[in-house]
Amino acid sequence: MASNFSFPEMTPAQIAEGLRTYNIAPSANLRAEDIANPQPELLPNVFALFFANIVGDEPEEQLGFEVLQVIDNPEHHLNAIAFRGIFRKARDFLDSICFGGLTLRDFLRPNPRRVVDILSSVINYLHFRQEKLAALDPVVTEFDGCEEQITEFRARIAELQKAKEEHAYKEQMEEPAIQQLQVELNALKHTVQEFNTLQLGLRSRAKALDDKKEEILAKISQADFQLIKHSQENSKLLSRIVQSPEKLQKNLEEKKGVRDELKTLEKMAAHNVQEKNNILEMYTKACEKLSKHLSKICTLHETFTAAKASEKEVKALKAKNSDQSLELKTLRIKADEWQSRVHETNDRLKEKEKERDQRIGENKRKMATLKSEIESERKSLEDREREVQEKIAKAVDLCSQSDAAEVAGQKECEKIYAAFDEVYEAAKVYMEGIECSIKEVDEATLAITGQKIGA
């Protein structure tokens, strides 16, 4: 996998300063000479502090050179396991930053040049990591504010939901009163219609009474006119009275009949006047009743107006409820947007997991390549061993020919045996590390397979 950072070589002084800066120096008084002339415990202790302080793993105990020299001793089995764990983590970490090829020789017999390269890569990685974390600080700050906004929006949604429920509860509680007012309003409307009908009937009766009154007044005026006319005729007749008793008696009887007729008419007129007064009294009582009904109608009209005002308030509350529903929908849309951002973040995490799986596959392929290289080196060591045996045979032949050649041959054999012992011990340690690494890789493969099957 390609890296976005490089690891140029640093000086021992810069490396010592960087280790102290990131708190992964084995000792507080680490000097450049300790880097230029490294001890076997330098790299294990640096990587132990790196994994404890930077990566966040469980801290490993300090490993001294005497622990590294007695790995094969059963009493130091736990320290050997810790050493191998640090080596495995360090190798995986360096492979992940494209600095491969870490071997046990780098821990057991460190080469100054090799140690400078390894520590330079670690320091450069820490610089790169610090720059990336600094670049991500604004994003983290922005998302912190977004979390607060999401909390505020959720609180606002809960508050609006509570207000909506309270409003619905109040509306539900007021529904019987509104229905009762509606029933009363309908009854009042029906009563108003009845009163209007009654008022029209009373007006028609009052108009008929007025017509009848005018007719009676006309009859009274006519009777008065007739009375005056008869009085005039009576005066004329009195002036024409003759001395004849028969005629007088006859005229008197006629006048008496006229007078009786006039009295009858007068009684009829008085009776009509009495009827007129009774009708007027009844009309007055009807007007009083109408005024009372009109006052009741006004009261009902005021009640009807109040009911209309209540209907307007109900409509206003419904409009307010609809506005709150729209605001709630807007807040839900914003919440969905934040949810989509969370899904995007999850997708990115899944992509990172895929990249991690790819790295694991690459590491497995590298492990297979390394295994093949080890096999080839083992074969080459066997060839060298045969060559060494042949040389020993030739040296024995030469020693039999000459003492001087024998002394030189013995020295050469001793050198060859020393080199062979070193190679044999290094190969033995190397093979043990490889076997442990293969076991750990098998265990990790089984664990990853178990996790995938469990998922």
Side-chain angles (χ1 to χ4, degrees):
M1 179 178 176
S3 177
N4 293 328
F5 58 91
S6 60
F7 26 83
E9 184 179 349
M10 294 183 176
T11 62
Q14 291 175 344
I15 292 172
E17 182 65 25
L19 294 177
R20 287 194 297 270
T21 302
Y22 291 106
N23 295 324
I24 57 174
S27 61
N29 55 355
L30 183 67
R31 298 173 300 170
E33 292 77 6
D34 298 332
I35 307 298
N37 298 314
Q39 298 298 320
E41 66 270 14
L42 176 63
L43 286 179
N45 289 332
V46 168
F47 277 106
L49 292 172
F50 173 80
F51 292 122
N53 298 333
I54 305 300
V55 180
D57 292 344
E58 290 295 330
E60 304 286 354
E61 60 182 4
Q62 289 282 338
L63 301 175
F65 180 70
E66 65 279 2
V67 176
L68 304 180
Q69 295 296 321
V70 293
I71 291 177
D72 293 332
N73 191 343
E75 296 178 357
H76 300 275
H77 182 62
L78 294 178
N79 289 332
I81 292 173
F83 170 77
R84 289 172 182 174
I86 293 173
F87 171 74
R88 177 177 54 81
K89 292 179 182 179
R91 183 189 60 199
D92 294 339
F93 165 70
L94 292 175
D95 288 340
S96 67
I97 63 172
C98 299
F99 187 90
L102 182 68
T103 62
L104 286 171
R105 185 180 181 84
D106 296 325
F107 275 25
L108 298 174
R109 294 180 178 86
N111 186 357
R113 177 71 178 179
R114 183 73 172 167
V115 169
V116 169
D117 291 339
I118 293 171
L119 293 180
S120 296
S121 65
V122 173
I123 299 299
N124 279 282
Y125 166 75
L126 292 174
H127 289 334
F128 175 80
R129 178 177 177 272
Q130 188 174 9
E131 291 176 0
K132 291 299 180 183
L133 290 176
L136 289 175
D137 284 339
V139 178
V140 173
T141 305
E142 181 181 359
F143 274 98
D144 289 340
C146 293
E147 288 293 334
E148 294 177 358
Q149 290 181 359
I150 289 172
T151 306
E152 292 176 359
F153 285 145
R154 287 177 178 171
R156 179 63 176 166
I157 289 170
E159 184 179 354
L160 292 174
Q161 188 70 25
K162 184 177 179 181
K164 181 181 177 182
E165 291 176 357
E166 291 178 355
H167 179 70
Y169 177 72
K170 290 180 180 178
E171 186 177 3
Q172 187 177 2
M173 294 295 293
E174 292 175 355
E175 187 67 23
I178 292 172
Q179 292 177 357
Q180 184 66 28
L181 288 174
Q182 190 68 31
V183 172
E184 293 178 359
L185 183 61
N186 293 330
L188 291 173
K189 286 181 180 180
H190 183 67
T191 306
V192 168
Q193 290 178 358
E194 291 179 355
F195 282 139
N196 289 331
T197 305
L198 180 61
Q199 186 179 14
L200 291 174
L202 292 174
R203 283 179 181 177
S204 61
R205 289 180 63 185
K207 188 176 181 181
L209 289 173
D210 288 336
D211 294 339
K212 193 172 183 180
K213 178 183 176 183
E214 290 177 358
E215 185 179 354
I216 292 169
L217 289 173
K219 287 182 178 181
I220 291 171
S221 62
Q222 184 67 28
D224 290 337
F225 179 72
Q226 290 290 334
L227 181 61
I228 293 169
K229 186 177 178 181
H230 287 302
S231 297
Q232 290 176 356
E233 289 179 354
N234 191 14
S235 62
K236 288 179 181 180
L237 289 171
L238 287 174
S239 63
R240 292 177 183 177
I241 292 174
V242 294
Q243 297 301 325
S244 176
E246 293 84 2
K247 288 184 180 180
L248 180 60
Q249 186 67 30
K250 187 178 181 180
N251 288 332
L252 287 172
E253 289 177 357
E254 290 177 358
K255 289 187 179 291
K256 190 176 181 180
V258 171
R259 187 184 63 183
D260 293 335
E261 187 178 354
L262 288 173
K263 285 183 179 180
T264 304
L265 291 172
E266 186 178 357
K267 288 180 180 180
M268 290 176 64
H271 183 67
N272 290 332
V273 170
Q274 185 66 32
E275 287 181 356
K276 177 183 174 184
N277 290 330
N278 293 331
I279 290 168
L280 286 173
E281 186 177 356
M282 185 178 67
Y283 182 74
T284 303
K285 291 181 179 180
C287 288
E288 290 178 357
K289 288 183 179 181
L290 284 173
S291 63
K292 290 180 181 179
H293 287 306
L294 283 173
S295 63
K296 290 182 179 179
I297 289 169
C298 291
T299 305
L300 292 173
H301 183 69
E302 291 177 356
T303 307
F304 180 72
T305 305
K308 282 188 175 180
S310 298
E311 287 181 357
K312 288 182 180 179
E313 290 179 359
V314 170
K315 289 181 180 179
L317 289 174
K318 287 181 178 180
K320 186 176 179 181
N321 191 11
S322 62
D323 294 337
Q324 290 178 354
S325 299
L326 291 174
E327 187 176 357
L328 185 61
K329 288 180 180 179
T330 305
L331 292 174
R332 284 178 178 172
I333 290 170
K334 290 184 179 179
D336 292 336
E337 291 179 356
W338 286 112
Q339 191 67 27
S340 64
R341 291 188 180 181
V342 171
H343 288 311
E344 291 178 358
T345 306
N346 291 331
D347 294 336
R348 291 179 183 174
L349 288 175
K350 289 180 180 178
E351 292 178 357
K352 293 293 184 182
E353 289 177 356
K354 289 182 180 178
E355 291 180 359
R356 184 197 63 189
D357 295 336
Q358 291 177 358
R359 286 183 180 179
I360 291 172
E362 291 178 357
N363 291 333
K364 287 181 179 179
R365 289 192 294 271
K366 289 180 179 179
M367 183 62 69
T369 305
L370 184 61
K371 188 175 180 181
S372 63
E373 290 178 357
I374 291 169
E375 290 291 334
S376 62
E377 287 182 1
R378 185 172 62 81
K379 290 180 180 179
S380 64
L381 287 174
E382 291 176 354
D383 296 337
R384 288 181 182 179
E385 187 177 0
R386 286 194 297 269
E387 292 177 358
V388 169
Q389 289 176 357
E390 292 176 356
K391 288 180 179 180
I392 291 171
K394 290 180 179 180
V396 171
D397 295 334
L398 293 172
C399 287
S400 63
Q401 294 176 4
S402 175
D403 293 334
E406 184 178 1
V407 172
Q410 287 178 355
K411 290 181 179 180
E412 188 175 357
C413 287
E414 288 175 358
K415 291 180 180 179
I416 293 170
Y417 276 115
F420 177 77
D421 291 332
E422 290 178 358
V423 172
Y424 181 77
E425 291 293 330
K428 184 179 179 181
V429 174
Y430 195 79
M431 289 302 294
E432 288 177 354
I434 292 300
E435 288 176 358
C436 292
S437 299
I438 291 171
K439 289 181 181 179
E440 290 173 354
V441 170
D442 292 336
E443 291 175 355
T445 305
L446 291 174
I448 293 171
T449 307
Q451 290 178 358
K452 289 183 177 180
I453 292 171

